[in-house]
Amino acid sequence: MSPKPVLHTIPPDIVAAKDYAVYARERLTDMAWEYLDSGAADEVTLRRNIEAFQSISLKGRMLEDVGGGHTRLSLFGHVYEHPVFLAPVAYQKLFHAEGELACALGASVTQTLMVLSTLSTTPLEDVARAHGTPLWFQLYLQRDRAVSLELIRRAEREGYRALVVTVDAPLAGIRNREQRAGFRLPDGVSPVNLPPFTPHAPVGAGQSLVFDSLMPSAPTWADIEWVLAEARLPVVLKGILAPEDADRACRMGVAGIGVSNHGGRVLDTLPAAIEVLPEISEVVNGRAAIFLDGGVRRGSDVFKALALGATAVMIGRPYIQALATAGPLGVAHLIRTLREELEIVMAVSGTPTLARISRAHLRL
Ligand SMILES: Cc1cc2nc3c(=O)[nH]c(=O)nc-3n(C[C@H](O)[C@H](O)[C@H](O)COP(=O)(O)O)c2cc1C
């Protein structure tokens, strides 16, 4: 069945993030859908990201005066209207003809921070100059440091406000649903910010593809030192799950830690991001901002993440489903929906500001 056209109004039965999934499915090719929706291997982590949020109960606090409440936060010298950020998602022209530009327009309408992927299908300059959207740049460190440095400098020149270095995907995960669908990038969809791809060294007889070909060029802590020395922007490490790694990153001077399992896309049976957040927040102990992503689907999930120590959250698949369904309008509508849900939870938890949200507002 060929994909249905993008909508220009929001159907009345889309009232929550998850309602976008059905509409998005009908508007994407099988390959694009499997690329977006699947997780690594048996998708245990993918499911766990969602279930872990559902297993946490709110407490609910009544009769508090929440007058003057708001969802604003101040971060790295800028004020953001709310703590729901758009996680970096590669190849957005797979999901909408205007790709990252459509997304940036939806984000700008709602004053939402968007993190642009290294694997963007639109030049990072075009995204920066299009809609005045607050932007951070996500960096996949490249084999050649000169290529990484050029990306960092371009992002700095264009006014990106932070650098998000993703450290949990040195290899593409094995996503079986994507493999079964025979996923490949269609013509016209490519990572335009990068120089043409040069294949990894071929493996000889008796050699390992992973250890002899792919991993020798994967980033290490020494590369993070290098980024911290070179970058003029605050650096966030995305994809941290172990408290030991969070501590090391803080000692090196990162500005932020992204607690994430890459939406369950790389290594299956990792814990849910929200499950490890309390341990990470304990070791970080205020030394860096903390961002959580993976399974955020409700305003109450945002509240729970903040209560357990996150500064803000990021969403991935939901906004891409909204983009595929109704372009910028869908993205803006989804964000507004999540923000309203968050405001309601805040109001009925007696927390008029994000700073007031704490573990005491959960029933642990
Ligand atoms: C289709 C897709 C592409 C992604 N591409 C990137 C990427 O280029 N860089 C990155 O750091 N994370 C990438 N991610 C991971 C997201 O930034 C984020 O960690 C994840 O989607 C959060 O989980 P959620 O989808 O449950 O919200 C991608 C995720 C998806 C679903």
Side-chain angles (χ1 to χ4, degrees), residues 9 19 21 23 34 63 71 83 89 93 121 155 162 165 204 224 229 250 288 326 350 352:
T9 53
D19 297 332
Y23 282 88
E34 297 296 15
L63 300 169
T71 59
V89 170
K93 282 190 185 164
T121 47
V165 183
I224 302 304
C250 288

Side-chain angles (χ1 to χ4, degrees), residues 35-38 46 49-50 87-91 95 117-120 138 140 164 166 168 238 260-265 293-297 314-318 320:
Y35 173 69
L36 173 65
D37 193 57
S38 64
L46 178 66
N49 274 347
I50 307 244
V89 170
Y91 307 126
F95 310 112
S117 168
T118 291
L119 304 177
S120 165
Q138 178 263 326
Y140 276 130
V164 178
T166 300
D168 62 357
K238 174 173 179 280
S260 169
N261 52 38
H262 216 101
R265 294 170 69 77
D293 70 62
V296 175
R297 301 292 180 269
M314 296 188 191
I315 53 172
R317 293 178 185 84
I320 297 294

